[in-house]
Amino acid sequence: VRLSNELDRIALWAGHGGEVTLSDLESMVADTSETAVWGLSDALIEREPAEAVLAAEQLIAQGENVTGIVYSLAARLRRAHRALVELEAGRSQKEVIADLDMHPYAAKMLLRRLRGTSVEELRESIAAVADLEIWCRGGSDYDEQVALTLAVRRAAGATAGDA
């Protein structure tokens, strides 16, 4: 499955009939922190609480601070929300990709992740990340790691009955 996903990534990057060079592959490789943040935001968008918590734990284990995670997540979720609103308003994928202010490949991947996600779910995720920011600025008695776990589970759509 992972190999198939990576081949899909390369195919999207290259486009129909395109080629992928060593330089292209190096451009696709991000540092582990960036990759983990993208993995976390993807899990939130796709409403996968277990994957989201694992990605958040990986970031904390790497020494990332919660404030930096919040900043990255908020930006990515707002971008996803804007893209989904525009798609639902009838704009073409090509137009939305052009307006996302990110590499076309990354924009295509983001739109792919949005399949099956609703605008309301993205709003709920954004609200959970906003609450996390408040909690980390003294708005809660939670330890930052507990606050991160709670917010990530909520942002990914976990319910009280989920394990």
Side-chain angles (χ1 to χ4, degrees):
V1 171
R2 187 171 182 188
L3 177 59
S4 176
N5 287 339
E6 292 304 314
L7 291 172
D8 286 345
R9 277 179 24 134
I10 291 169
L12 279 170
W13 182 277
H16 183 69
E19 293 183 12
V20 177
T21 66
L22 179 58
S23 175
D24 292 327
L25 289 173
E26 289 170 350
S27 296
M28 283 188 256
V29 176
D31 75 29
T32 23
S33 296
E34 183 181 359
T35 301
V37 169
W38 279 63
L40 174 53
S41 65
D42 288 345
L44 297 182
I45 290 167
E46 294 174 343
R47 312 297 279 179
E48 296 288 343
E51 289 179 31
V53 169
L54 286 174
E57 289 173 352
Q58 178 185 358
L59 285 162
I60 295 299
Q62 290 174 190
E64 297 298 318
N65 67 49
V66 176
T67 304
I69 295 170
V70 167
Y71 177 81
S72 297
L73 284 179
R76 175 109 160 139
L77 290 172
R78 284 191 310 267
R79 185 176 280 147
H81 178 266
R82 187 178 78 221
L84 190 55
V85 166
E86 290 178 9
L87 287 170
E88 288 187 357
R91 295 195 68 209
S92 72
Q93 284 193 3
K94 187 175 181 178
E95 291 172 316
V96 173
I97 287 169
D99 287 347
L100 281 177
D101 192 32
M102 57 195 300
H103 190 281
Y105 165 75
K108 286 178 189 177
M109 292 302 291
L110 177 60
L111 295 188
R112 180 185 265 182
R113 299 265 187 254
L114 291 173
R115 292 182 190 148
T117 302
S118 73
V119 170
E120 184 57 35
E121 288 171 333
L122 284 175
R123 286 183 183 139
E124 291 170 6
S125 295
I126 291 167
V129 172
D131 286 346
L132 175 59
E133 182 177 16
I134 292 168
W135 291 347
C136 292
R137 293 178 184 240
S140 169
D141 292 334
Y142 296 129
D143 169 87
E144 278 193 356
Q145 192 165 352
V146 171
L148 177 64
T149 300
L150 291 171
V152 162
R153 285 182 44 76
R154 185 174 131 217
T159 61
D162 292 340

